[in-house]
Amino acid sequence: MRGLFLMVSVSMFSSFGLFAADQNPIEIDAPISKIYIPLGFDDNDNVEVVLHGDFTDTCHQVGHTVAVVDEASKTVTVSATAYKYPGKFCIQSITPFIQTVSLGIVGEGDYQVVYKNDKAVKSSLNVARRKTESPDDYLYATVENAYIDVNASSGKQALKIQGHFPMFFVGCMVIKEVKTVKAPEDVLVVLPIAEIVDNETCATQPSDRSFEYTVGLQAPFQGEGLLHVRTLNGTSLNRFINIQ
């Protein structure tokens, strides 16, 4: 009996080991259907494009991205992967996702951005000549979260941004104004312009330097699109939005 029990145990262990190995994720091409490209990049910016797609079940997660910039032909080829987890119970659902692709510093000009695995998915990128040697035209706040709030009764929309100001040994950071512009129509570009002050305002800030800022949207955003917020570190905060 001990021999039979040992044989069964070994067999079960081997089967379990095989089953566990089958759970390793498989890297596949991501189902990209749209490329969002915010306007406003200069030739001294870290240029970003944002890929959008939909997963059809809960057994997929975003993978990694790669971009190849050819300044001679003015083309940018981007690719993206997703991880598929086999052997799992998958709930069928349409789950939107986005993947931000950093292109780095790109020379001035008009580029065609194409998804490598589906050449029909493409968009246009304009990189302007820099207006200043500074990395950005403005000093931006350190935004960590952003969303559009819709008033249920009036239907009016307001943009809300949240974050934590950096610590300064002298003075403090405050938000001077927040500019919003649809550029292009399915991308809401947000410029949270900040400044450094040394006055009584600094004493009223929370000890953790957290902030929340609300600005009303004159033109409501409808349908699917991208919320693109410039931030202090030279990158951006990107959120997929769908307002019906």
Side-chain angles (χ1 to χ4, degrees):
M1 288 293 292
R2 288 187 60 186
L4 179 60
F5 176 78
L6 180 61
M7 183 182 300
V8 172
S9 299
V10 170
S11 177
M12 289 179 63
F13 179 82
S14 300
S15 299
F16 177 79
L18 179 61
F19 179 77
D22 288 342
Q23 304 312 298
N24 292 333
I26 301 171
E27 193 169 16
I28 62 175
D29 295 333
I32 302 300
S33 58
K34 176 79 175 182
I35 302 177
Y36 292 113
I37 302 182
L39 296 184
F41 288 116
D42 298 335
D43 59 1
N44 64 344
D45 290 333
N46 176 31
V47 178
E48 293 180 343
V49 302
V50 181
L51 310 180
H52 162 64
D54 295 288
F55 292 135
T56 57
D57 57 47
T58 57
C59 288
H60 290 80
Q61 294 183 354
V62 295
H64 70 276
T65 60
V66 176
V68 178
V69 179
D70 188 335
E71 294 194 5
S73 64
K74 291 293 187 289
T75 59
V76 179
T77 304
V78 293
S79 59
T81 66
Y83 292 110
K84 180 179 180 180
Y85 290 78
K88 300 289 186 180
F89 175 72
C90 304
I91 301 174
Q92 303 301 306
S93 64
I94 304 300
T95 305
F97 68 92
I98 59 174
Q99 291 176 277
T100 302
V101 186
S102 176
L103 307 185
I105 305 300
V106 178
E108 176 189 5
D110 293 316
Y111 293 79
Q112 186 85 334
V113 183
V114 181
Y115 184 50
K116 181 179 180 180
N117 300 307
D118 186 354
K119 297 298 194 300
V121 180
K122 56 186 177 181
S123 190
S124 299
L125 164 68
N126 173 261
V127 180
R129 183 183 297 275
R130 72 191 75 177
K131 303 179 185 68
T132 173
E133 291 305 314
S134 300
D136 288 302
D137 296 336
Y138 304 102
L139 179 68
Y140 295 128
T142 45
V143 178
E144 300 162 1
N145 187 33
Y147 62 96
I148 296 177
D149 182 62
V150 182
N151 186 290
S153 57
S154 67
K156 291 185 177 180
Q157 298 180 2
L159 170 72
K160 293 182 180 293
I161 60 174
Q162 301 165 328
H164 293 79
F165 290 126
M167 184 182 70
F168 293 88
F169 293 104
V170 178
C172 64
M173 175 179 282
V174 297
I175 293 180
K176 182 179 180 180
E177 65 173 319
V178 175
K179 293 184 177 182
T180 61
V181 58
K182 285 184 180 179
E185 278 298 308
D186 55 2
V187 178
L188 183 63
V189 177
V190 180
L191 307 180
I193 302 172
E195 62 180 348
I196 309 301
V197 300
D198 187 11
N199 52 36
E200 63 277 2
T201 303
C202 299
T204 63
Q205 287 188 346
S207 58
D208 63 353
R209 302 179 303 283
S210 62
F211 69 85
E212 179 172 303
Y213 193 93
T214 303
V215 57
L217 297 181
Q218 299 300 320
F221 196 100
Q222 297 294 333
E224 294 184 351
L226 179 73
L227 181 60
H228 175 82
V229 187
R230 299 293 174 85
T231 58
L232 180 64
N233 63 6
T235 60
S236 61
L237 175 71
N238 294 297
R239 294 283 187 268
F240 176 73
I241 49 180
N242 186 1
I243 302 177
Q244 303 300 324

